[in-house]
Amino acid sequence: MTKTIAVLGAGTMGTGIAQIAATFEHDVILFDKHKDVLDHSRKSLTRILNRQVEKDRMTSEQVNDILGRISSVTDLKYIKEADVVIEAIIEDTEIKQDLYKQVEPLVDDEAIIATNTSSLSVASLASTFERPERFLGIHFFNPAPLMPLVEIVPSVVTDESVTQNARDLIDSWKKTTVLAKDLPGFIVNRIARPFYGEALRIYEEGLADPATIDWAMKELGGFRMGPFELMDFIGNDVNQKVSETVFEAFYYDPRFRPSLTQKRMAEAGLLGRKTERGFYDYRENAYNPEPVKNEQKGQQILDRILTILINQAADALWMNVATKEELDLAMTKGVNYPKGLLAWADEIGIPKIVERMDELYARYREDRYRCCPLLRDMAANQEVFF
């Protein structure tokens, strides 16, 4: 039997999730308390789907079928028939919990309720439920219809059957699912912090400018976007907020310390592409400096950022956040890394990664650069990840 899916929040993410569910022939109830948001969602989705017709990827009939399966509502009472509810509203624990208190009594006792949070504790969000065992995280990446990865995040009280049923559903939507432990940042937002944080640190130290760092990571590392391009794309306000959330959630572990540089950018309204100014200037006829294409310097930049990323991935494995296979899968499918970080560590040599971490720690004497014990043990025992 085809499940009815309710999506709460008609912003970019909620609209994308609704599109996926309707594409796979589910009846979708898209809720938002603001009618203008629902209207914008409908127009945006219609435009996106019509573009697929223009490119001969869909027929007009398919578009009409997808749109016809989505019912837009401003009253929660219409979600009562939902088998699965996916919340995709603002990243605020209190606001989410207030919504859950309204939702839980409306839906069937067997209905799965999920959050699309990218950084909040699933266990904390679950605490407001009468039946927390039916609640879990289903974290899509933006844009949801295009990004293949979805993190499935049960809390410590989520029923195993709920986790499996949720994963089976998302798998049926032809997504790549990974099972993640309910720890700050889950997999991707935990491991990826140094991609931004260490790049910002290199910039703050005056070792290289954003254009040079981005060039090194793309040209020498094979990354699709450099860290500063990506921060401007995500939004410096959004990226800074995620960094702060993860830092606080890890009890202020120095490895996750956010950057004051990015904080000042966000405070000044230099948010990136959406404000036309960030680390780069996107205004018409704007001047942006060219990178310094020095391969030796570029390699030093790549090695430093990549070493910290690998250390973070190893730490996630050591703390049982996910399996080694799913950790690498998450980074290649969730943020388009050119290789899985653990496989990359094998390629470079784990003793070399340990040596680089120890050199950084010897220089800075900061816990930010402490080497993961798993890497140190593997180097001593001449082990590899794969």
Side-chain angles (χ1 to χ4, degrees):
M1 184 178 72
T2 303
K3 295 181 184 295
T4 298
I5 312 294
V7 180
L8 311 181
T12 302
M13 182 58 77
T15 301
I17 296 170
Q19 177 188 336
I20 299 165
T23 299
F24 285 90
E25 301 186 352
H26 296 277
D27 291 326
V28 179
I29 305 155
L30 180 60
F31 165 82
D32 200 291
K33 62 183 180 181
H34 301 291
K35 187 177 184 303
D36 59 328
V37 175
L38 286 168
D39 291 342
H40 181 268
S41 167
R42 190 78 174 184
K43 287 176 185 173
S44 174
L45 182 53
T46 302
R47 185 173 63 252
I48 289 167
L49 294 175
N50 284 336
R51 206 174 296 142
Q52 299 303 303
V53 176
E54 292 167 9
K55 295 178 179 178
D56 293 325
R57 293 173 182 168
M58 278 186 182
T59 65
S60 296
E61 185 180 3
Q62 287 174 315
V63 168
N64 291 334
D65 285 346
I66 291 169
L67 293 172
R69 293 187 195 108
I70 302 174
S71 303
S72 300
V73 302
T74 55
D75 194 323
L76 278 172
K77 69 182 181 183
Y78 294 108
I79 73 166
K80 64 181 180 181
E81 300 301 324
D83 301 295
V84 177
V85 179
I86 302 175
E87 164 271 307
I89 65 169
I90 188 170
E91 286 285 80
D92 183 289
T93 298
E94 278 189 33
I95 294 173
K96 287 180 186 288
Q97 288 182 329
D98 285 344
L99 181 60
Y100 302 152
K101 288 172 186 173
Q102 299 172 63
V103 168
E104 188 176 26
L106 294 174
V107 296
D108 187 83
D109 284 350
E110 298 304 311
I112 293 173
I113 304 175
T115 176
N116 183 60
T117 185
S118 61
S119 56
L120 299 177
S121 160
V122 178
S124 176
L125 294 174
S127 66
T128 196
F129 284 89
E130 293 291 329
R131 295 189 61 230
E133 65 274 10
R134 61 144 111 197
F135 180 76
L136 79 166
I138 299 179
H139 177 220
F140 291 81
F141 290 78
N142 203 16
L146 298 180
M147 296 301 287
L149 187 76
V150 179
E151 292 175 322
I152 305 295
V153 191
S155 81
V156 290
V157 293
T158 304
D159 190 279
E160 285 186 14
S161 66
V162 169
T163 302
Q164 190 59 55
N165 288 339
R167 190 171 193 177
D168 289 345
L169 174 67
I170 306 303
D171 283 340
S172 76
W173 295 354
K174 294 186 166 48
K175 292 294 184 182
T176 300
T177 58
V178 290
L179 189 65
K181 202 170 182 180
D182 181 23
L183 290 173
F186 311 139
I187 297 175
V188 172
N189 278 324
R190 173 193 180 124
I191 294 175
R193 291 340 302 155
F195 188 71
Y196 317 108
E198 203 58 29
L200 283 159
R201 179 69 178 262
I202 291 168
Y203 171 50
E204 288 167 346
E205 291 178 11
L207 299 176
D209 63 5
T212 301
I213 296 168
D214 281 354
W215 167 80
M217 297 306 288
K218 290 189 297 181
E219 186 71 23
L220 305 179
F223 290 85
R224 291 191 188 180
M225 294 180 79
F228 293 94
E229 285 179 310
L230 189 51
M231 285 185 280
D232 273 0
F233 181 78
I234 294 167
N236 284 303
D237 54 338
V238 174
N239 193 263
Q240 177 70 14
K241 180 64 177 173
V242 173
S243 294
E244 288 177 353
T245 300
V246 172
F247 182 51
E248 291 166 11
F250 271 112
Y251 297 113
Y252 305 100
D253 185 328
R255 292 175 304 167
F256 299 99
R257 182 176 290 121
S259 162
L260 284 171
T261 295
Q262 189 167 49
K263 184 176 178 63
R264 294 295 180 263
M265 297 283 284
E267 289 170 342
L270 301 174
L271 308 183
R273 286 184 176 273
K274 59 187 174 185
T275 58
E276 296 192 317
R277 291 174 69 201
F279 290 106
Y280 296 98
D281 194 332
Y282 301 93
R283 295 171 296 182
E284 192 174 353
N285 299 321
Y287 168 76
N288 285 296
E290 290 294 315
V292 178
K293 296 182 179 181
N294 179 307
E295 289 212 8
Q296 183 180 358
K297 186 174 189 177
Q299 192 64 48
Q300 289 171 347
I301 292 166
L302 170 62
D303 288 348
R304 177 166 163 179
I305 295 173
L306 182 56
T307 295
I308 309 298
L309 284 168
I310 289 170
N311 192 61
Q312 196 64 259
D315 193 71
L317 180 61
W318 189 50
M319 299 306 293
N320 296 301
V321 173
T323 65
K324 61 185 181 182
E325 291 82 8
E326 294 202 333
L327 288 171
D328 270 10
L329 187 63
M331 301 314 290
T332 54
K333 297 293 186 181
V335 275
N336 293 317
Y337 280 15
K339 303 173 189 176
L341 292 168
L342 300 178
W344 213 336
D346 286 347
E347 188 178 303
I348 294 167
I350 292 172
K352 174 60 73 174
I353 300 298
V354 172
E355 180 186 321
R356 289 177 185 168
M357 288 300 301
D358 286 346
E359 285 173 356
L360 286 164
Y361 185 81
R363 180 182 180 195
Y364 291 100
R365 294 295 177 185
E366 292 180 45
D367 245 16
R368 175 189 187 94
Y369 300 110
R370 70 179 187 267
C371 183
C372 174
L374 176 62
L375 286 175
R376 203 176 290 287
D377 291 345
M378 292 178 72
N381 296 323
Q382 298 184 315
E383 295 173 342
V384 293
F385 288 107
F386 297 101

